[in-house]
Amino acid sequence: MEHDEAIERHVEEHFGPIEFVMHEVGMADRVHVLVVGPTEGRPYRTLVTEGMSGRPMRVPEGVSPFAELMIGLPADWPLPDDGGSWPVHLLKYMARFPHERETWLGAWHLVPNGDPVQPYAPDTPFAGVVVTPMLDVEPEARVIESSTAINLLALVPLHQAEVALKIDHGTDALIATLDRGEVSEVFDPDRPCLL
């Protein structure tokens, strides 16, 4: 409980008041999604997971075993009561991913959507995701202070060709491409492929 309260305090301090929470029930590893409404400084919705850091990931030495994930969505992005929106499903899937696979997630880890890679939904070209540091925040927003330090990382959806770029040419090539396109943790559903 203290752990969740620390996450919620951090979110409200750095992103704004929590508008509502998408609660998850009936799962062993529950991942709730905190939804912060648009603010003057952040004119979009900010979604942050709560539950991924409930247990440590299996990390290499020197890496924090605790993390939560976030994504920024357009202010008018529909968020059905049942959480039936592919970015919400993606957040929850990625938050459970390291525990279900007995691995870890950190900055610049790539998770394609299937093999072969497929779009997340019929109405989107995005077909994979890369975990990144948050760019659109002050540095202290990147770590949640609780009884342990929790890294707060962003999800950036990628086009199929961008997924292939990361696989074929590595992280530096993807970073250069995303920088050129000024891509951040604020998801633009109309963003064209940068290749």
Side-chain angles (χ1 to χ4, degrees):
M1 194 63 158
E2 177 187 331
H3 190 70
D4 292 348
E5 288 171 2
I7 295 169
E8 291 166 18
R9 273 195 312 273
H10 183 90
V11 166
E12 294 205 317
E13 178 181 348
H14 294 284
F15 304 120
I18 296 170
E19 188 176 35
F20 61 95
V21 178
M22 294 180 176
H23 291 283
E24 188 169 64
V25 294
M27 300 283 292
D29 286 320
R30 279 183 286 233
V31 177
H32 306 299
V33 176
L34 310 176
V35 180
V36 176
T39 64
E40 189 174 322
R42 298 172 67 84
Y44 47 87
R45 281 200 158 107
T46 303
L47 279 64
V48 180
T49 62
E50 181 182 73
M52 179 179 178
S53 60
R55 60 184 168 122
M57 297 181 287
R58 299 181 73 165
V59 296
E61 189 172 333
V63 175
S64 171
F66 300 101
E68 294 289 349
L69 303 171
M70 65 79 59
I71 191 170
L73 293 180
D76 60 352
W77 187 276
L79 291 174
D81 291 341
D82 64 357
S85 172
W86 72 260
V88 175
H89 286 292
L90 179 61
L91 265 176
K92 290 180 177 184
Y93 172 79
M94 292 294 289
R96 283 193 288 268
F97 181 88
H99 303 303
E100 291 176 352
R101 307 285 175 101
E102 296 186 0
T103 186
W104 66 289
L105 284 178
W108 304 110
H109 285 183
L110 171 76
V111 179
N113 187 37
D115 183 14
V117 177
Q118 298 291 321
Y120 288 114
D123 60 347
T124 186
F126 294 94
V129 66
V130 66
V131 180
T132 72
M134 290 186 294
L135 300 174
D136 197 25
V137 296
E138 63 276 11
E140 50 277 12
R142 296 180 183 140
V143 178
I144 300 166
E145 297 297 339
S146 183
S147 54
T148 57
I150 302 167
N151 291 325
L152 184 53
L153 299 164
L155 295 183
V156 174
L158 299 175
H159 289 265
Q160 189 168 350
E162 295 162 349
V163 170
L165 174 71
K166 169 79 161 84
I167 293 169
D168 296 339
H169 299 286
T171 299
D172 289 344
L174 179 63
I175 290 172
T177 301
L178 295 178
D179 283 350
R180 188 177 68 248
E182 299 181 351
V183 175
S184 76
E185 64 269 17
V186 182
F187 175 58
D188 175 0
D190 299 318
R191 178 177 74 78
C193 181
L194 298 171
L195 302 171

